[in-house]
Amino acid sequence: IRWARCDIKAIALLPNVMMRQEAAEQGAFEGIWVHEGRAVEGAASNLFAVIDGEARTPPDGPRVLPGITRDVVLELAAEQGLPVRTGTITAEELGAAEEVWVTSSTKEILPVTRLDGEPVGDGQPGPLFRTVLAGYREHLHHLGRGTPEDTP
């Protein structure tokens, strides 16, 4: 529904709320939107998927709400020389991803260990996620928001 009228700016994203409810009813924490064969974002988060050792996040545009935490992750990854970039993620790539994580201002960075009931990778947070999370925690520490060991 949302993508049929992206020209309408509203503060109520009822489809996103409905998606979060459906995810919760199925025992999931978050739902991921797939539009025309491409994974674009979570119901209330931005999406990253590690494919062939490189993390991708869909580019900003009319189909994706921009995310502050996503942008911080991209900046920190670039500073560290990590293989993280913007780019399309197909539904098939998402289903076969080595790692998946979501970002948002309230969730910060969270790993996705199960997708549609199946494990992502080995079902544990992956090495690129852990590296990105450590860099993010260090960034928060420098901003005076905690120690590098604090759980975001």
Side-chain angles (χ1 to χ4, degrees):
I1 297 169
R2 179 171 161 227
W3 290 286
R5 294 302 309 260
C6 290
D7 57 317
I8 298 174
K9 187 167 189 127
I11 60 168
L13 294 173
L14 183 58
N16 295 57
V17 172
M18 293 169 65
M19 181 181 186
R20 291 286 306 271
Q21 180 62 38
E22 182 177 338
E25 289 172 2
Q26 294 181 26
F29 183 75
E30 177 67 301
I32 296 176
W33 289 110
V34 175
H35 179 69
E36 296 181 354
R38 291 185 220 146
V40 291
E41 64 183 352
S45 62
N46 291 104
L47 174 68
F48 285 81
V50 177
I51 301 156
D52 296 327
E54 175 185 71
R56 274 189 251 156
T57 184
D60 285 336
R63 303 284 186 242
V64 176
L65 291 175
I68 293 169
T69 303
R70 172 191 170 272
D71 290 347
V72 169
V73 167
L74 287 170
E75 288 175 22
L76 293 173
E79 289 173 9
Q80 295 179 50
L82 298 175
V84 179
R85 68 175 178 89
T86 61
T88 301
I89 303 168
T90 67
E92 293 79 23
E93 289 172 323
L94 182 65
E98 300 150 36
E99 301 179 35
V100 175
W101 66 83
V102 294
T103 62
S104 76
S105 294
T106 56
K107 295 179 196 74
E108 295 183 342
I109 309 170
L110 290 178
V112 175
T113 57
R114 298 189 70 74
L115 188 65
D116 290 333
E118 297 297 321
V120 174
D122 65 3
Q124 301 294 316
L128 189 51
F129 166 81
R130 289 191 303 270
T131 301
V132 167
L133 179 62
Y136 184 79
R137 286 178 176 166
E138 184 65 30
H139 176 72
L140 293 180
H141 173 66
H142 287 298
L143 293 175
R145 288 192 49 208
T147 66
E149 297 79 28
D150 287 341
T151 301

